[in-house]
Amino acid sequence: MRTQPVILAIDAFHEHVNATYPGPNAEKIDLVVTLGGDGTILHASSLFSAGAVPPVLSFSMGTLGFLLPFHIDDFAKALECVFEGKATILNRMRLACTFYNKDLAKKGNDGDDWQVMNEIALHRGSSPHLNTIDIFVDGQHLTEAVSDGLIVSTPTGSTAYSLSAGGPIVHPSLSALVLTPICPRSLSFRPLVFPASSVITLRIGDRSRSPAGVSMDGRTSHILNPGEYVNVQASPYPVPCINRSSIIEPGDEGEHHEGAGPGKDDDWVRDINNLLQYNATFRSKALLRHSRT
Amino acid sequence: MRTQPVILAIDAFHEHVNATYPGPNAEKIDLVVTLGGDGTILHASSLFSAGAVPPVLSFSMGTLGFLLPFHIDDFAKALECVFEGKATILNRMRLACTFYNKDLAKKGNDGDDWQVMNEIALHRGSSPHLNTIDIFVDGQHLTEAVSDGLIVSTPTGSTAYSLSAGGPIVHPSLSALVLTPICPRSLSFRPLVFPASSVITLRIGDRSRSPAGVSMDGRTSHILNPGEYVNVQASPYPVPCINRSSIIEPGDEGEHHEGAGPGKDDDWVRDINNLLQYNATFRSKALLRHSRT
Amino acid sequence: MRTQPVILAIDAFHEHVNATYPGPNAEKIDLVVTLGGDGTILHASSLFSAGAVPPVLSFSMGTLGFLLPFHIDDFAKALECVFEGKATILNRMRLACTFYNKDLAKKGNDGDDWQVMNEIALHRGSSPHLNTIDIFVDGQHLTEAVSDGLIVSTPTGSTAYSLSAGGPIVHPSLSALVLTPICPRSLSFRPLVFPASSVITLRIGDRSRSPAGVSMDGRTSHILNPGEYVNVQASPYPVPCINRSSIIEPGDEGEHHEGAGPGKDDDWVRDINNLLQYNATFRSKALLRHSRT
Amino acid sequence: MRTQPVILAIDAFHEHVNATYPGPNAEKIDLVVTLGGDGTILHASSLFSAGAVPPVLSFSMGTLGFLLPFHIDDFAKALECVFEGKATILNRMRLACTFYNKDLAKKGNDGDDWQVMNEIALHRGSSPHLNTIDIFVDGQHLTEAVSDGLIVSTPTGSTAYSLSAGGPIVHPSLSALVLTPICPRSLSFRPLVFPASSVITLRIGDRSRSPAGVSMDGRTSHILNPGEYVNVQASPYPVPCINRSSIIEPGDEGEHHEGAGPGKDDDWVRDINNLLQYNATFRSKALLRHSRT
C-alpha cells in the first residue's frame, strides 16, 4: 500500500442514506472501514455495485458477529496490522441480480446489475395470495414454487434470512448459491445448493394473482409482476473482508485436534457456536436456579 | 478408446460379494458397466478404492434414478454413443475416510483409506446411549454433538441418507462436504456445508458411554470407540459417471427459458421433481376420485 | 329436522362479498350448503361470528379436500342422507380472537370477537424490520419471538398455512392450539401445541420497529402497533361439518387392520396421503419414463 | 393422607435394577419420592405397570428439568407442603403398548401391557436395511413408512427423543399422541398429533428385510419381526407428578400480562426457555468476548 492510503469510513448513520447515492470511485480507495452493525457492511457493499471492492475492515461498537470481527477497542491495533500487510482476506462472494420485464428487456433506468452480499428475497408481502414462481437453473426448468417467497443466498447470507427460512449453513469460503423457499405450499420443497457457476432465474408465473416484492440485503427495491423475472448469478466482484485471526491472536478457546494436522485458524468455525447459539444442547448449560429456603 | 475396449460388467448379484474382494486393476479397464440399482454403482465405486475409476455407465432394470440414468432397453444405443466418443461425464466426488485409534495411529490392517460415493455415517445403532462426538474442521474444534449420529455426505449422497436426516439437496457438480446430524439432542443443530478442501474429523468423546458404528455407503464396517476418530476429506479419485443428456435426446419435458441464455441439459435439474417427488404441491395433482352413484 | 328445512346456500361468488355483510340469523337456519373451494367454507364460518353455526355440507366443483368431502355430482344423494338423519358430524374447532389497544381496551367498533376456522397470522408483510412479539400463555410469559410472524392455528388449519411454516399435522378431532413461528430469527424456535383451554396472547413488543399485519383465515384485517395485542382462545362455537364416511360408502381403499378392533371410518386418515402427497416416498411411484429407440 | 404415610423412595442406583423386578403394591403406597435424573422417574413409572401410580415427588441432585421440578436442598420444605395437602398435581399421560405376533396373539409371557411415560420407538438399529412399517389409526391404514424408525410419544415425551427427530413440543396437560418419523425416506413425512382416544398400530411390513428393535422410555426390550405389530394407546394410568408452582413461590421471573386475566402458574411455560434453550435468538445473548490489547 502507498504511504498515504485513502480510507473510506462508513458508519451506521450513513447506512440509511438514500440508496441512489453515487458509488465512490473504487480505484482510488485503499481500504473501507465500517463502524456499526451488519447493515453498515451491507451498505458499504452496495456502494460498490459497479465493480471491484477495496478491502473492508469492520468494527463493531458492541457485539461481534460473522461480518463484525473486530471491536472498536481494537481499532488502532487492527489498522496497524493492516498497514503492515499482516492481514488475511476472506473474499465474500456476492450475487449479481439483473431484472427483466415481460419482453425480456432489462428493467430499470440503466439496466445495471445489483450486487448483494447476503441474499435476494422475493416475497408476497401482505398480499393474501401466494406467489407462483417458476425456477430455472441455467435456463432449464427446475420447478414451480407456490410459496410466500423464495430466497437466493450467498454462503455469507446463509446465516441470515435463509437460515430463518430453514436453509443450511454454508461456510463462506465455499462458492455456492443457496435456494431456500419461504413457507412453501408443499411438504417436500427442501433447500437446494448450487455451484457458483449456475444462473438461477426466478420468474413470476403468468397466472400469479399478485406481484412479488423484491428485497436485496434487507432493502425493498423492485416489484416483479407476472411474467417478469430476475437472473441471479455469482458476481465477479466479491467483498474482500479482513479476518480477525490474522490480527488478533486467538486465545485458549481455539482448541485444536492433534491428529488432524496443523490447524488453520478459521474465524467462522470458532464463532459459529457463540454467534448462532448453534447446537446448544438441551439442558446442558441451562442451570436452572432453584430457590432455597 | 482402443478398438478392443476392456469392459468390467457388474450386476446386482455381485454387489453382495464380500467387500474384501480384491479391486480390479483400474488401468486396464476402459469402462465399467453396472446393471442393477444404486447399490451396484456404490459397489463398483468400492472396487476402486486405491485409485482412479474408469468411466461408469449405469443401467437400471426398472425405475431410473440419479445414479441410474439409463434403462436396460437403451443398452445398445448407449454403448454405441460411448464408443463414438459422444458421451459427457459428471465427475462425482468421493470422500476419503481414514480411521485412527486413540494413539493417533491408523486403524486397520493396512491403514488404507476408504472411498465413499454417498456418505459415511456414525450411529449409535441399538445402544440406549446417545453418541457424543467432537467435530473438528481443519483441526479446529467446531462443536460437540450429542445425537443418534452424524453423516458426512457428498453432493451425490445429499439425496440419500443425509436428506432423510434433514440435510439440504446439493447439486452433484458442486465440490462440497455436507455435515448432517441424526436426531441431535439440540434444537439448534443445523446441517452444514463445507468446501471440498476441508478436513472433517469426527472423534468419539472420551466420556461417551458407547461406541459408534460406522457405515459407509450403507455398509457397516468399523466400530469407533471413545477416543478414536475418522478423518473425512474429498478424495482425489471421483467417479466419472456418463450422463443421460449426452446420449438420449431430451424430450419436450426439458422446458427452457428464453431469456436465460442457451440452456444446458442437466439430468439432475430435469429429474429432481420426478425422483424425489420434490416440491409436490398440496392437492395440486391429487385428484381424489369421488364416488358416483 | 322439520319437514321444511331452511337452507343457506353459499357459493364461491359470495365468498368475495364484503366482510361487513351482516350475519344470518343462525337459529332459523337448519343447514348451510357451500359450493366452491375452501374459501367458501371459511366465508360461511365468518358469517356466523356471533354464535352457533348450523351443520355445514360442503360440495366441491372439482378436486376434493379436507374441507371439501363431497363432489357436486353427489349433491342429491348427500342431501337425502342428511335429511334422513344419517349424517355424522365433525365439530371443527374455531378460535376466538379479541384485539386490544395499548390501554387494554378492546379494539374496533364493537369489540366483538373474530372467529377463525384455520388460523390467525401476524406478519411483518413487506416491512424490512422483523416483528418482535411477546407470547403469553394464560397470562404467563412464554418467550419473545423475533420473526417474520407467528401463526396460531386450529387442528383444521394445521394443514394450511401452519404446515407451510413447518408446523405439525394435527387431527381435527383433537382440541388444541398450534403456535407456529414464521421464519424465526432463532435456530431453536419449534412449533408448540397447547390444550384448547389455553389463552394465547400475542403482544407487539414496545420496541418493535414496525407494526404487524393480522390476517385471519387468509383475509387481512387489523394492524397491530407496538403495545397492542390479541388474545386467542378456543371459541365456544365450532363448525359442525358433515362427514363423507357417513354418506358415501367407502370403497376398497379403506384398508383395515384385523388385529386392531373394528375400524372406524375416518375421512381424514383416509385422505391425508392423497391430499397432501403425504409421505410420498423417494422414487416409489416416480416411474420415470425412459426413452426407447 | 394417613398420619403414617408409606413412601417409596427410588434413587438413581435402583433405576438400573433388572426390569423384571416385581412392581410394588401401589395401593399401599402414599407417595413416591425419586432422587436422581429423568431416568429415575421413568423407572418409577415402570414399576407401576399394572395399575394406578401414587403421587410422585421428584428431586434433582443437580440441574432441574421438566420432570425434575425440585432440588434436593428443598427436600424438607417440599415434603412438608405435600403432607399439608398444598401440592397440586399434573397428571402426566402414559401410553399402553401391547405387542402381537403374526397370528394376532399377544406376545410375551403374560401378554401384559407395557406403560411408557415418554415414548415407544421402533428403530432399525445397526441393520443396513430401512424399516418398512405400516401405520394404522383406529384400524384404518394411514401410510406405509420407510424410515430408520418411528416414535409414538406422549406430550411429556415430546421434549425428549421425538423432539430430536423433529417433532413438535406439546404441552403436558394436553391429552394427545405424537407420531414422529425418524429419518424417513420421504421428503413429505411430517410429525402427526392424534387425540388420546386413538389407537395407533405399527406393523412391520411383510416384505421388510429386517426386524425392528423396540425401545420404551429409552430401554431396549422387544424385537418385532415382519408381520408382528404393536398397539399404542393412552393408558388409563397416568403418573401424578407434583408441581413446583404449588410449593415453591415463583420469583420475579414469572412475568405476567395484565391484560390477560389472572395468570396461572405453569412450571412448563416458565421453564421451557431455560430447559431447551428454546428460541435462543441469533446473537441475542451471545456477547462474544473481544480481546483487548
Side-chain angles (χ1 to χ4, degrees):
Chain A
M1 286 189 181
R2 289 159 297 179
T3 27
Q4 299 272 339
V6 179
I7 299 178
L8 173 70
I10 302 172
D11 62 22
F13 175 75
H14 287 93
E15 117 195 28
H16 300 296
V17 164
N18 191 327
T20 58
Y21 176 75
N25 190 337
E27 295 150 31
K28 296 191 181 156
I29 294 172
D30 294 298
L31 183 70
V32 175
V33 171
T34 72
L35 306 161
D38 284 5
T40 313
I41 299 149
L42 297 176
H43 176 62
S45 160
S46 74
L47 295 179
F48 297 88
S49 288
V53 189
V56 175
L57 180 61
S58 296
F59 294 97
S60 165
M61 318 302 280
T63 308
L64 304 189
F66 287 125
L67 293 178
L68 294 169
F70 300 102
H71 193 272
I72 190 65
D73 291 355
D74 293 320
F75 188 81
K77 183 178 180 185
L79 226 62
E80 192 186 309
C81 285
V82 169
F83 291 134
E84 286 172 356
K86 290 183 189 164
T88 61
I89 289 288
L90 173 64
N91 271 311
R92 290 188 178 267
M93 176 185 166
R94 294 199 290 178
L95 300 174
C97 306
T98 323
F99 296 86
Y100 295 87
N101 62 24
K102 287 178 95 165
D103 309 319
L104 313 183
K106 282 197 184 182
K107 244 186 129 166
N109 297 336
D110 44 11
D112 276 351
D113 290 352
W114 296 66
Q115 309 280 326
V116 299
M117 199 173 169
N118 269 350
E119 80 281 295
I120 175 172
L122 275 61
H123 199 285
R124 63 173 170 136
S126 52
S127 161
H129 303 298
L130 296 178
N131 282 142
T132 300
I133 301 174
D134 280 298
I135 306 171
F136 299 82
V137 177
D138 295 333
Q140 192 173 356
H141 191 250
L142 175 80
T143 199
E144 181 194 71
V146 180
S147 65
D148 275 9
L150 293 172
I151 300 166
V152 183
S153 155
T154 62
T156 293
S158 74
T159 49
Y161 193 21
S162 171
L163 188 60
S164 293
I169 298 174
V170 182
H171 193 284
S173 71
L174 182 68
S175 287
L177 284 73
V178 183
L179 175 70
T180 307
I182 305 171
C183 297
R185 191 151 179 75
S186 159
L187 286 173
S188 56
F189 197 156
R190 288 282 185 87
L192 294 162
V193 186
F194 291 100
S197 58
S198 302
V199 181
I200 297 179
T201 303
L202 306 179
R203 185 181 178 280
I204 311 304
D206 288 315
R207 293 166 305 179
S208 202
R209 290 208 277 167
S210 62
V214 177
S215 73
M216 292 187 284
D217 286 346
R219 290 176 189 225
T220 307
S221 56
H222 295 67
I223 294 288
L224 283 181
N225 291 302
E228 299 184 330
Y229 62 97
V230 58
N231 275 355
V232 185
Q233 55 195 306
S235 160
Y237 307 116
V239 179
C241 294
I242 294 171
N243 283 325
R244 183 164 78 248
S245 302
S246 56
I247 289 177
I248 313 288
E249 296 78 23
D252 57 342
E253 65 227 303
E255 184 191 344
H256 280 85
H257 189 245
E258 290 181 54
K264 291 181 268 177
D265 269 313
D266 184 331
D267 290 1
W268 190 87
V269 169
R270 187 173 48 236
D271 292 349
I272 188 168
N273 286 299
N274 280 324
L275 293 181
L276 295 183
Q277 302 274 6
Y278 184 74
N279 185 30
T281 310
F282 300 171
R283 298 185 191 189
S284 64
K285 287 135 204 171
L287 187 62
L288 214 132
R289 289 190 322 278
H290 63 277
S291 64
R292 286 157 203 274
T293 46
Chain B
M1 286 190 180
R2 289 158 298 179
T3 26
Q4 299 273 338
V6 180
I7 299 179
L8 174 69
I10 302 173
D11 61 23
F13 175 76
H14 287 93
E15 122 192 23
H16 300 296
V17 163
N18 191 325
T20 59
Y21 176 76
N25 189 335
E27 295 150 32
K28 295 187 182 160
I29 295 173
D30 295 299
L31 183 70
V32 176
V33 170
T34 72
L35 306 161
D38 285 3
T40 313
I41 299 150
L42 297 175
H43 176 62
S45 160
S46 74
L47 295 179
F48 297 88
S49 288
V53 189
V56 175
L57 180 62
S58 297
F59 294 96
S60 165
M61 317 302 280
T63 308
L64 304 188
F66 286 126
L67 292 178
L68 294 168
F70 300 102
H71 193 271
I72 190 65
D73 291 355
D74 293 319
F75 187 81
K77 183 179 179 185
L79 225 63
E80 192 187 310
C81 285
V82 169
F83 291 135
E84 286 172 356
K86 290 184 190 163
T88 60
I89 289 289
L90 172 64
N91 273 311
R92 289 188 179 268
M93 176 185 166
R94 293 199 291 178
L95 301 175
C97 306
T98 323
F99 296 87
Y100 296 86
N101 63 24
K102 289 178 93 163
D103 310 320
L104 313 185
K106 283 197 183 181
K107 240 184 134 169
N109 297 335
D110 44 11
D112 276 351
D113 290 352
W114 296 67
Q115 309 279 327
V116 300
M117 199 172 168
N118 268 350
E119 79 282 296
I120 176 172
L122 275 60
H123 200 284
R124 64 174 170 136
S126 52
S127 162
H129 302 298
L130 295 178
N131 283 142
T132 302
I133 300 175
D134 280 299
I135 306 171
F136 298 82
V137 177
D138 295 332
Q140 192 174 356
H141 193 250
L142 175 80
T143 198
E144 182 194 70
V146 180
S147 65
D148 275 9
L150 293 173
I151 300 167
V152 183
S153 155
T154 62
T156 294
S158 73
T159 49
Y161 194 20
S162 171
L163 187 59
S164 293
I169 298 175
V170 181
H171 193 283
S173 70
L174 182 67
S175 287
L177 284 73
V178 183
L179 175 70
T180 308
I182 305 171
C183 297
R185 192 152 178 74
S186 159
L187 286 173
S188 56
F189 196 157
R190 287 284 184 87
L192 293 163
V193 185
F194 291 99
S197 59
S198 302
V199 181
I200 297 180
T201 303
L202 306 180
R203 185 181 179 280
I204 312 302
D206 288 315
R207 293 165 305 177
S208 201
R209 291 208 278 169
S210 62
V214 177
S215 72
M216 292 187 284
D217 285 349
R219 289 178 189 223
T220 307
S221 56
H222 295 68
I223 295 286
L224 283 181
N225 291 301
E228 298 184 329
Y229 62 98
V230 58
N231 276 355
V232 185
Q233 56 194 306
S235 159
Y237 307 116
V239 179
C241 294
I242 294 170
N243 283 325
R244 183 165 79 250
S245 302
S246 56
I247 288 178
I248 313 289
E249 295 79 23
D252 56 344
E253 66 228 301
E255 184 191 345
H256 281 84
H257 189 246
E258 290 180 57
K264 291 181 267 176
D265 270 313
D266 184 331
D267 290 2
W268 191 88
V269 169
R270 187 170 52 234
D271 291 350
I272 190 169
N273 285 299
N274 280 323
L275 293 180
L276 295 184
Q277 301 273 8
Y278 183 75
N279 185 30
T281 310
F282 301 172
R283 298 186 194 188
S284 65
K285 286 135 202 167
L287 186 63
L288 214 131
R289 288 191 322 278
H290 63 278
S291 64
R292 287 159 202 272
T293 47
Chain C
M1 286 190 183
R2 290 158 296 177
T3 27
Q4 300 271 341
V6 179
I7 298 179
L8 173 69
I10 302 171
D11 61 23
F13 175 76
H14 288 91
E15 119 194 26
H16 300 295
V17 163
N18 192 325
T20 57
Y21 176 77
N25 190 337
E27 293 150 33
K28 295 187 182 159
I29 295 173
D30 295 298
L31 183 70
V32 175
V33 171
T34 72
L35 306 161
D38 285 5
T40 313
I41 300 150
L42 298 176
H43 176 63
S45 159
S46 73
L47 295 180
F48 297 88
S49 288
V53 189
V56 175
L57 179 62
S58 297
F59 294 96
S60 165
M61 318 302 280
T63 309
L64 304 189
F66 286 126
L67 293 177
L68 294 169
F70 300 102
H71 193 271
I72 190 65
D73 291 356
D74 293 320
F75 188 81
K77 183 179 180 184
L79 225 63
E80 191 186 310
C81 285
V82 169
F83 291 135
E84 287 172 356
K86 289 184 189 163
T88 61
I89 288 288
L90 172 64
N91 272 311
R92 291 188 178 267
M93 175 186 168
R94 293 199 291 179
L95 301 175
C97 307
T98 323
F99 296 87
Y100 296 86
N101 62 25
K102 289 178 95 164
D103 309 320
L104 313 185
K106 282 197 185 183
K107 243 186 130 166
N109 298 335
D110 44 10
D112 276 350
D113 291 351
W114 296 66
Q115 311 279 324
V116 299
M117 200 172 169
N118 269 350
E119 78 282 296
I120 175 172
L122 274 61
H123 199 285
R124 64 172 169 136
S126 52
S127 161
H129 302 298
L130 296 177
N131 283 141
T132 301
I133 301 175
D134 280 299
I135 306 170
F136 298 82
V137 178
D138 296 332
Q140 192 173 355
H141 192 248
L142 176 80
T143 198
E144 181 195 69
V146 179
S147 65
D148 275 10
L150 293 172
I151 300 166
V152 183
S153 155
T154 61
T156 294
S158 74
T159 48
Y161 194 20
S162 172
L163 187 59
S164 294
I169 298 174
V170 182
H171 193 284
S173 71
L174 182 67
S175 287
L177 284 72
V178 183
L179 175 69
T180 307
I182 305 170
C183 298
R185 191 151 178 75
S186 159
L187 287 173
S188 56
F189 196 157
R190 288 281 185 88
L192 294 163
V193 186
F194 291 100
S197 58
S198 304
V199 181
I200 297 180
T201 303
L202 307 179
R203 184 181 179 281
I204 312 303
D206 288 316
R207 291 166 305 177
S208 201
R209 292 207 275 167
S210 62
V214 177
S215 72
M216 292 187 285
D217 286 348
R219 291 177 189 224
T220 307
S221 56
H222 295 68
I223 294 287
L224 282 181
N225 292 302
E228 298 184 329
Y229 62 99
V230 57
N231 275 355
V232 185
Q233 56 194 307
S235 160
Y237 307 116
V239 179
C241 294
I242 295 171
N243 284 324
R244 182 163 79 247
S245 302
S246 56
I247 289 177
I248 313 288
E249 296 78 24
D252 56 343
E253 66 228 301
E255 185 191 343
H256 280 85
H257 190 244
E258 290 181 56
K264 291 181 268 177
D265 271 311
D266 184 330
D267 291 0
W268 190 88
V269 169
R270 187 172 50 237
D271 292 349
I272 189 169
N273 286 297
N274 280 323
L275 293 180
L276 295 183
Q277 302 275 8
Y278 183 74
N279 185 31
T281 310
F282 300 172
R283 298 187 193 188
S284 66
K285 287 136 201 169
L287 187 62
L288 213 131
R289 288 190 323 278
H290 63 277
S291 63
R292 287 158 203 272
T293 47
Chain D
M1 285 191 182
R2 289 157 298 179
T3 27
Q4 300 271 340
V6 180
I7 299 179
L8 174 70
I10 302 172
D11 62 22
F13 175 77
H14 287 92
E15 121 194 24
H16 300 294
V17 163
N18 192 326
T20 58
Y21 177 76
N25 190 337
E27 295 151 32
K28 295 187 181 159
I29 295 172
D30 295 298
L31 183 70
V32 176
V33 171
T34 72
L35 306 161
D38 284 4
T40 313
I41 299 150
L42 297 175
H43 176 63
S45 158
S46 74
L47 295 179
F48 296 88
S49 288
V53 189
V56 175
L57 180 61
S58 297
F59 294 96
S60 165
M61 318 302 281
T63 308
L64 304 188
F66 286 125
L67 293 177
L68 294 169
F70 300 102
H71 193 271
I72 190 65
D73 292 355
D74 293 320
F75 188 81
K77 181 178 181 185
L79 225 62
E80 191 186 309
C81 286
V82 169
F83 291 134
E84 286 171 356
K86 290 183 189 163
T88 60
I89 289 287
L90 172 64
N91 272 311
R92 290 188 178 267
M93 176 185 166
R94 293 199 291 177
L95 301 175
C97 307
T98 323
F99 296 87
Y100 296 87
N101 63 25
K102 288 178 93 163
D103 309 320
L104 312 185
K106 282 197 183 182
K107 243 185 129 167
N109 298 336
D110 44 11
D112 275 352
D113 290 351
W114 295 67
Q115 309 280 325
V116 300
M117 199 173 168
N118 268 350
E119 78 282 297
I120 175 172
L122 275 61
H123 200 283
R124 63 174 171 136
S126 52
S127 161
H129 302 297
L130 296 178
N131 283 142
T132 302
I133 300 174
D134 280 299
I135 307 171
F136 299 82
V137 177
D138 295 333
Q140 191 173 355
H141 192 249
L142 176 80
T143 198
E144 181 194 70
V146 179
S147 65
D148 275 10
L150 293 173
I151 301 166
V152 183
S153 156
T154 61
T156 293
S158 73
T159 49
Y161 194 19
S162 171
L163 188 58
S164 294
I169 299 174
V170 182
H171 193 283
S173 71
L174 181 68
S175 287
L177 284 73
V178 183
L179 174 70
T180 308
I182 305 171
C183 297
R185 191 152 179 74
S186 160
L187 286 173
S188 56
F189 197 156
R190 286 282 184 87
L192 294 163
V193 186
F194 292 100
S197 58
S198 303
V199 180
I200 297 180
T201 303
L202 306 179
R203 185 182 178 281
I204 311 303
D206 289 315
R207 293 165 306 179
S208 200
R209 291 208 277 169
S210 63
V214 177
S215 72
M216 292 186 286
D217 285 348
R219 291 178 188 223
T220 307
S221 57
H222 295 67
I223 294 287
L224 283 181
N225 291 300
E228 299 184 328
Y229 62 98
V230 58
N231 276 354
V232 185
Q233 56 194 306
S235 160
Y237 307 116
V239 179
C241 295
I242 295 170
N243 284 325
R244 183 165 78 248
S245 303
S246 56
I247 288 178
I248 314 288
E249 295 78 22
D252 56 343
E253 67 227 302
E255 183 190 347
H256 280 85
H257 188 246
E258 290 180 57
K264 291 181 267 176
D265 269 313
D266 184 332
D267 290 0
W268 191 87
V269 170
R270 186 171 50 236
D271 291 349
I272 190 168
N273 286 299
N274 281 323
L275 294 180
L276 295 183
Q277 302 274 6
Y278 183 74
N279 186 29
T281 310
F282 301 171
R283 300 187 193 185
S284 64
K285 286 135 201 168
L287 187 62
L288 214 132
R289 289 192 319 279
H290 64 277
S291 64
R292 287 157 202 272
T293 46

